[in-house]
Amino acid sequence: MQTSNENEKHMAKITRESLLTLEAYAKIRNESSAKIIAHKKQRKIPLGTNITLIFEDESTIRYQIQEMLHVERIFQEQEITHELATYAPLVPDGSNWKATMMIEYTDPIERATRLSAMVGIEDKVWVKIAGHKSVYAIADEDLERETAEKTSSVHFLRFELTREMIQALHQGAVLSMGVEHPAYTVTIEEVEAKYRDSLMNDLTIS
């Protein structure tokens, strides 16, 4: 069972005041990059050979924002606020998982062909807690990322869980996930413990 302090940590929000200045971030950038690479290894789950889910959290999104500010040399208040508004909603809220979905094919011709066949695939990605129904992703709430001809190679997904599902996970229920689409079907019957443990940190029991 999580303590209230742990819940507050997991529910941490990225605010304007909590962002580092360009100068302050530059001093810790190398250290920050090394930490986030190690952290992402626990949250980057391959679904077959061509689709990867990167489950975002406060750490990964904070890093993304700081990197955008650093690379683009953004220091004006209005632009910082824009970046914050763009990325902050990707932090999970305690009752969900949020993930970046990457569809990757090295050969550009094959990639175009596959993306044409995968229209709608972002709505067919699912997670399942043993004893409960599968939860399908709510995809691309920010904007439309596909056309009638092809899907995008990048999607943003949200998996909304019930309180009962979260409780079951805390009690040791098996977590599985996969994709169910005519052009691409994969099932992970039991998500590895290293991934499961990291994803559990995103969830709180009210």
Side-chain angles (χ1 to χ4, degrees):
M1 180 69 70
Q2 295 169 324
T3 66
S4 58
N5 287 338
E6 287 175 327
N7 283 349
E8 289 174 5
K9 178 182 178 182
H10 299 153
M11 294 291 286
K13 298 296 183 182
I14 304 171
T15 63
R16 170 66 186 91
E17 293 72 26
S18 69
L19 293 175
L20 297 176
T21 63
L22 295 181
E23 294 78 8
Y25 181 67
K27 294 178 181 178
I28 67 163
R29 188 184 182 214
N30 289 341
E31 178 185 357
S32 179
S33 296
K35 287 182 178 179
I36 208 67
I37 288 172
H39 181 62
K40 278 190 173 185
K41 286 182 179 179
Q42 313 302 315
R43 304 179 63 83
K44 188 175 181 179
I45 303 180
L47 298 179
T49 57
N50 303 104
I51 291 180
T52 302
L53 297 185
I54 302 172
F55 285 85
E56 309 290 0
D57 66 359
E58 190 269 346
S59 296
T60 66
I61 297 303
R62 180 180 296 277
Y63 174 76
Q64 178 69 29
I65 294 172
Q66 293 283 182
E67 276 293 295
M68 287 295 296
L69 300 182
H70 175 85
V71 172
E72 301 294 334
R73 306 304 297 171
I74 295 173
F75 59 88
Q76 295 185 354
E77 194 66 27
Q78 183 176 356
E79 294 181 26
I80 294 174
T81 302
H82 173 74
E83 294 298 327
L84 187 60
T86 299
Y87 289 102
L90 298 178
V91 178
D93 304 314
S95 65
N96 49 44
W97 287 318
K98 297 184 180 182
T100 300
M101 173 184 177
M102 312 287 291
I103 304 175
E104 301 171 300
Y105 289 91
T106 303
D107 180 75
I109 296 177
E110 180 184 15
R111 180 167 60 249
T113 301
R114 295 290 186 177
L115 292 178
S116 294
M118 289 180 173
V119 171
I121 194 169
E122 65 276 9
D123 300 315
K124 301 300 182 181
V125 184
W126 55 269
V127 299
K128 187 177 190 302
I129 292 87
H132 298 269
K133 294 182 178 180
S134 297
V135 175
Y136 285 86
I138 300 169
D140 302 326
E141 296 173 281
D142 57 338
L143 60 128
E144 189 65 37
R145 289 184 173 270
E146 73 171 21
T147 66
E149 289 74 36
K150 68 180 182 69
T151 192
S152 171
S153 59
V154 180
H155 295 278
F156 296 107
L157 311 181
R158 173 166 62 92
F159 300 94
E160 200 65 40
L161 307 178
T162 66
R163 188 172 188 275
E164 290 72 25
M165 291 175 184
I166 296 172
Q167 287 179 325
L169 279 172
H170 279 282
Q171 294 165 1
V174 169
L175 170 65
S176 55
M177 61 180 62
V179 185
E180 187 178 322
H181 187 276
Y184 194 99
T185 300
V186 173
T187 298
I188 299 176
E189 295 291 352
E190 184 170 355
V191 172
E192 291 182 45
K194 64 179 180 180
Y195 301 128
R196 187 186 190 282
D197 292 346
S198 184
L199 295 182
M200 287 287 289
N201 289 329
D202 299 346
L203 304 173
T204 59
I205 298 178
S206 57

